[in-house]
Amino acid sequence: TFLLLTDSPHLLSPLQELLTTQISFQENEIKLLSAEIERLKNFGCLGVSPSLEGLRDENAKLKYRLNFLKKSLQEERSKSTKSMININSCLQEIFGAAIQAAYPDLENPPLVVTPSQQPKFGDYQCNSAMGISQILLKTREQKVSPREIAEKIVKNIPANECIDKVEIAGPGFINVHLRKDFVSKQLSSLLINGVQPPAIGKRKKVVVDFSSPNIAKEMHVGHLRSTIIGESMSRLFEFVGYDVLRLNHLGDWGTQFGMLIAHLQDKFPDYLSVSPPIGDLQAFYKESKQRFDTEEEFKKRAYQCVVLLQSKNPDFIKAWNLICDVSRREFQKIYNCLDITIVERGESFYHDMMKDIVKEFEDKGFVQVDDGRKVVFVPGFSVPLTIMKSDGGYTYDTSDLAALKHRLCEEKGDILIYVVDSGQSVHLQTVFAAGQMIGWYDPKVTRVAHAAFGVVLGEDKKKFKTRSGDTVRLIDLLEEGLKRAMDKLKDKERDKVLTPEELKAAQTSVAFGCIKYADLSHNRLNDYVFSFDKMLDDRGNTAAYLLYAFTRIRAIARLANIDEQMLRKAAREEVLVLDHEKEWKLGKCILRFPEILQKILEDLLLHTLCDYLYELATTFTEFYDSCYCVEKDRQTGQIVKVNMWRLLLCEATATIMAKGFDILGIKPVQRM
């Protein structure tokens, strides 16, 4: 939730309730304490004779409390006024109040405020009148035209500082025109304070489960989406002030470790004293799997190894750790390339909790026995969860239930996000429903969500694989990206103008930025086609285009010999003039950033941010082509005039783009 504080006492944004209530409470308490201090000064009229020392002591405590409250109040106001304003939410609050005043008996009336698609329809539109007309007809059999309703709403709009005028168009659309001084003021605040996260009320704990590769198997292209999407979601939640725990639910436990340990014993019999030189863990896994499938004696020994591992035999725990460590080192190479921060908490972490999970479901009468298995049927789902196999072993269902409970009850997560492919949707929804059924959480209080995503396709529209039909290794994909990015930079002859260090930085920025953006710019619910040619194209909605645009915007002030200190001074002193239609369009676009973040926090669809950044970059291009920021003499090329307010619009654009890149995990460079 975003918060808005304005100077108008009549305007309360929907996002301000918490701080407004808190400030109001503190102001009232200050008044009460001030009155109490005055009362104690005149203690003679109290009708009692308390000791003077006692009164002085109480008076001193009250003054301390009063000063503390005043300081706290100032801090709250200072913090809230730096927060970026969500203009859409601000307008929703205004029109919500107008609708409430116009139709006080109407329960939950529709509140629809959206940015206008065309300038002739104003800056925003309130389209609630049509919905209210239908409600009045259905519930009260009152036939009132939407236009008449719109007129009544407009008459009840409270005093505020952001609306210049409203117009009723067509059957009942309310077109809203913003005040230019209001928009200018918000842009100045952005330039002075930087991109401050909108205040969101209570700080929440968010647990994001993403990446989750399997030990002894290399990360492949299938892990790319979960890793990139999960990291970006985590960055967004962190930016708005939540406490985020990023978890890597590694596949680090199970029967496959029996065959791996048995093969380790045969291939490196001195593994306990000499660290085994396992160079290619994928090949090691294939060798052990082949033996498991073809050698009956090896298979029996593998099962014995599983039993000894699960009984925590020290030698087998060491073998298990050795195998896990080889995988961890390989995973970390990927995470370093993609700038991923994550805490490992694999299936093994929850192993000791599984016995209690089974007992809890049994004690509450949810367990049925089916052919020796212990299963739990969840209402609304046809396939039960198997929480114990017939041989007494646990399953992925048990592990996932244990993880869910730990995140809810031990980590105290307010929001749980599982960034897992769409194929796991039914399984995860069943697990979530089971947790709800047994009483671990109330969905009205705690949000548990599956952020599902589609698969990565090749250019043939089939699952992305190598020519030999194997799954594409993620490390190979990243190395190919680096090679192609360098080729692209050399094609543009950037190697002739950049230093070797700058060229290397640009290569990394373009390669990994393009791979991330190509994923995040697609709706995660859909499959998407992986194409290096498309993602490295510097035309259209790509990271390459945005990174080049950002670099050019940052260079405008530098080429005009305007440094950061001069820009900061101008931000405090200059009024941002928005008289030109392209200045006005750009200014409004910049200030839509909080609206975009709010939408993503609700639906977890990050392509909305990519679409917004592309819109911002193209809107900036329109502005720059129409409005001179720096005017030069045509003959000498000397700078004759700097339009500082336009340079400030350049700076505001770059500032928002930089924060957007940061949320997406993209690192722009100064020169490209």
Side-chain angles (χ1 to χ4, degrees), residues 179-278:
R179 286 175 55 169
K180 286 189 177 177
D181 60 341
F182 169 76
V183 172
S184 177
K185 180 182 172 185
Q186 304 315 315
L187 290 168
S188 294
S189 176
L190 164 65
L191 288 160
I192 293 166
N193 299 314
V195 188
Q196 295 296 322
I200 52 168
K202 180 189 172 187
R203 192 165 188 250
K204 293 182 179 179
K205 175 77 173 279
V206 183
V207 180
V208 186
D209 176 325
F210 67 99
S211 193
S212 308
N214 291 311
I215 293 292
K217 293 183 181 180
E218 288 187 286
M219 289 181 75
H220 55 78
V221 71
H223 294 110
L224 183 67
R225 299 208 74 184
S226 177
T227 305
I228 290 172
I229 294 167
E231 171 70 20
S232 189
M233 282 185 185
S234 299
R235 286 169 178 254
L236 174 58
F237 280 115
E238 285 169 343
F239 173 63
V240 298
Y242 287 142
D243 176 17
V244 179
L245 175 62
R246 304 137 172 260
L247 291 183
N248 199 356
H249 191 75
L250 290 179
D252 67 350
W253 200 251
T255 53
Q256 75 272 25
F257 283 94
M259 67 181 191
L260 289 166
I261 292 171
H263 189 52
L264 180 73
Q265 290 172 331
D266 292 345
K267 197 164 184 178
F268 304 104
D270 57 350
Y271 74 91
L272 289 172
S273 55
V274 180
S275 183
I278 304 174

Side-chain angles (χ1 to χ4, degrees), residues 326-500:
V326 175
S327 277
R328 286 189 189 104
R329 287 194 292 272
E330 294 304 310
F331 297 158
Q332 197 55 48
K333 290 177 186 176
I334 304 286
Y335 296 145
N336 289 344
C337 282
L338 297 175
D339 195 22
I340 307 297
T341 304
I342 197 163
V343 175
E344 180 186 319
R345 195 171 289 175
E347 293 168 13
S348 61
F349 178 85
Y350 305 102
H351 186 260
D352 292 343
M353 306 173 196
M354 296 186 201
K355 181 180 177 182
D356 291 337
I357 293 293
V358 174
K359 186 175 184 304
E360 185 174 352
F361 275 91
E362 284 180 325
D363 290 347
K364 295 193 176 179
F366 291 125
V367 174
Q368 297 180 31
V369 178
D370 176 34
D371 196 23
R373 300 177 305 138
K374 292 183 178 180
V375 300
V376 174
F377 281 92
V378 182
F381 297 90
S382 57
V383 179
L385 295 171
T386 300
I387 59 172
M388 184 177 280
K389 295 185 288 188
S390 56
D391 63 2
Y394 302 117
T395 68
Y396 288 122
D397 293 349
T398 333
S399 171
D400 286 340
L401 285 167
L404 176 65
K405 183 178 183 183
H406 189 269
R407 293 163 186 182
L408 289 166
C409 304
E410 299 299 323
E411 293 294 350
K412 308 292 185 187
D414 300 298
I415 301 172
L416 272 56
I417 309 292
Y418 286 69
V419 187
V420 183
D421 70 88
S422 299
Q424 297 295 314
S425 182
V426 174
H427 165 69
L428 285 174
Q429 294 304 329
T430 310
V431 170
F432 299 162
Q436 191 179 329
M437 177 179 76
I438 203 167
W440 292 341
Y441 76 101
D442 178 354
K444 293 177 182 176
V445 177
T446 305
R447 180 183 184 185
V448 181
H450 175 205
F453 56 85
V455 298
V456 182
L457 304 175
E459 295 193 63
D460 58 359
K461 305 292 176 67
K462 296 178 182 177
K463 269 198 172 183
F464 195 30
K465 292 184 180 295
T466 63
R467 288 179 182 175
S468 61
D470 292 331
T471 303
V472 179
R473 296 166 71 226
L474 193 44
I475 194 70
D476 292 342
L477 193 77
L478 298 179
E479 288 173 357
E480 176 72 9
L482 285 168
K483 177 183 175 299
R484 292 202 182 213
M486 182 58 78
D487 291 344
K488 183 79 175 180
L489 289 164
K490 287 182 176 178
D491 286 345
K492 295 172 76 72
E493 299 187 335
R494 302 312 294 163
D495 55 321
K496 295 179 180 178
V497 294
L498 300 177
T499 67

Side-chain angles (χ1 to χ4, degrees), residues 47 106 189 257 269 298 300 336 392 406 445 451 471 481 528 576 585 664:
L106 205 60
S189 176
F257 283 94
F298 179 83
K300 288 179 182 176
N336 289 344
H406 189 269
V445 177
T471 303
Y528 91 96
L576 273 80
K585 184 179 179 181
L664 297 174

